[in-house]
Amino acid sequence: MPNRRDPEAAARAGGRTIHDLPEGLDGLPWELPRVFLGLDGEAATPEGAATWILPVPYEATTSWASGTREGPRAIIDASRYVELFDHELDHDASHEGVYTFPALELTRGDASRAMTELEDACSRVLDAAAGRRVIMIGGEHSVSAPAIRAHARRSRERLSVLQFDAHLDLRESLDGSALSHACAMRRVIGEVDLVTVGARGISAEEWRFAQSNDNVAIITADEIAGAPMEPRDWMDRAMEALHDPVYITFDVDYFDPSLVPSTGTPEPGGGRWHPTLTFLRRVFGERRVIGVDVVEHAPIHGFTAPDFLVAKLIHRMIGYWSKGLSS
C-alpha cells in the first residue's frame, strides 16, 4: 500500500495541503485526503493538476438494484490505496497532479432539470479546465448524455463516442422516462458517432435501431470472447470505427459480474481486465481522447474489491492518457 505521508511524498507536495489548517497543525498524522488517489499539496489543487475529477452521484432511474449514488465516494475512497507508480507504463501520473471537485448535487425529482444543470456544469468545468483532462465519475449512466453534449459542442469535428457497456442504452424511453439510464446514448446519437463494446443485454428495439443507423457500430460480448472471430479481431474492428476526437463512456457493467458484481443491471459473460486494458492502451495511443466518464458502480457494503478495480481502471486511464502509449 502506498504511503502518502512518506518524506518524498511530502517533498513533492511542496509544503502545501488541500486543507486550510490552523497554524501549527501541519505535519500531524492526518488521514489521507478524501480525494482521488489521496493526493495532497500542489498536485491536488486545480492549478497544479493536469487531471480533474468530477464526482456526480446522481441516481433517479435505476431499473433494478440501486446504489449508484454511492459509487463516486466508494471509488474515490478506494483510490487512496492504489499504487501511484504504474509498472506497465514505468510512469507515475500523479506527479502531473489530480484535482478532485466536491460532488455535484443535482436536483432530485426532476430529471429534465437535473440534466440541464449537469450540462451547464460540464460546460463550465470544461471552460475552466483550459485543456486539462476531465474525468466524470457517476452516478447512473444518464449523466453521460449531458457531458457528451458539452464536449460535442466544443469539437470542430464530429465526436466519436466509445461506449463500454453490457447494454446499448439506445431505448427511446424506459418506464415512461426518455431520460432513463437506458436511454443515455439515444439522447446523443443525432450529434455523435457511437462505437459500443461489450454489449450482451440488447432489446429488439435497440438492435433494430442500431442496425438502421450507419453511425452506430456494435462489438458484442460474443465477439470479445472470440465467437466466432479471433479474440483480437474485435479490437481492430472497433478501432476502424473510431475517429478523432473520442469521448469514452465506461459503464462498469461492461465487466463480467465475477469481476464487478456491484452494478444495477449485471449481465453474465462480460469483459475481462487485461484485454480491456490492452484495448484502452490502443485507444489512448492511436486516437485523440478528449473526455472520459465512468458510471454505474453501486458499491456493496463490506465487499471492496470492485471499488478498487474501478479506481484502478481510472488510474490506468489517467496513465494512458498522460503517456499516449499504444500497445
Side-chain angles (χ1 to χ4, degrees), residues 133-294:
R133 301 182 287 264
V134 178
I135 300 176
M136 181 177 69
I137 305 178
E140 65 173 54
H141 208 170
S142 62
V143 302
S144 298
I148 290 169
R149 283 195 296 268
H151 280 83
R153 282 203 311 271
R154 281 162 176 72
S155 177
R156 295 178 181 177
E157 306 142 297
R158 187 175 174 88
L159 190 62
S160 185
V161 174
L162 173 58
Q163 175 191 11
F164 291 84
D165 206 324
H167 312 91
L168 297 184
D169 293 347
L170 285 173
R171 295 175 187 265
E172 180 57 41
S173 67
L174 183 68
D175 296 331
S177 174
L179 298 176
S180 166
H181 67 103
C183 308
M185 297 303 105
R186 188 66 171 263
R187 300 285 74 82
V188 298
I189 198 60
E191 304 172 53
V192 304
D193 296 330
L194 179 65
V195 180
T196 301
V197 172
R200 55 201 186 274
I202 303 169
S203 72
E205 170 202 350
E206 293 173 295
W207 186 252
R208 287 193 293 268
F209 178 83
Q211 295 299 312
S212 66
N213 282 268
D214 293 337
N215 64 326
V216 179
I218 302 172
I219 312 295
T220 66
D222 295 329
E223 293 179 57
I224 292 176
M229 305 168 70
E230 289 299 317
R232 292 223 177 184
D233 286 353
W234 70 267
M235 296 187 194
D236 294 335
R237 191 160 82 83
M239 293 302 298
E240 289 173 4
L242 282 175
H243 59 77
D244 286 332
V246 173
Y247 180 97
I248 297 175
T249 179
F250 203 118
D251 184 331
V252 299
D253 69 20
Y254 155 85
F255 285 113
D256 189 272
S258 63
L259 292 175
V260 182
S262 50
T263 189
T265 50
E267 289 276 355
R272 310 299 297 179
W273 178 250
H274 286 105
T276 302
L277 294 184
T278 296
F279 179 51
L280 280 169
R281 189 178 172 110
R282 284 191 62 179
V283 172
F284 280 98
E286 300 175 23
R287 297 292 184 269
R288 179 165 56 90
V289 177
I290 63 169
V292 172
D293 70 59
V294 178

Side-chain angles (χ1 to χ4, degrees), residues 52 54 101 104 120-130 134 154:
W52 286 2
L54 178 63
F101 283 95
L104 279 177
D120 175 63
C122 288
S123 295
R124 292 167 64 178
V125 167
L126 291 174
D127 287 344
V134 178
R154 281 162 176 72

Side-chain angles (χ1 to χ4, degrees), residues 17 19-28 30:
T17 75
H19 300 288
D20 186 14
L21 296 170
E23 185 176 355
L25 297 184
D26 290 335
L28 292 178
W30 306 110

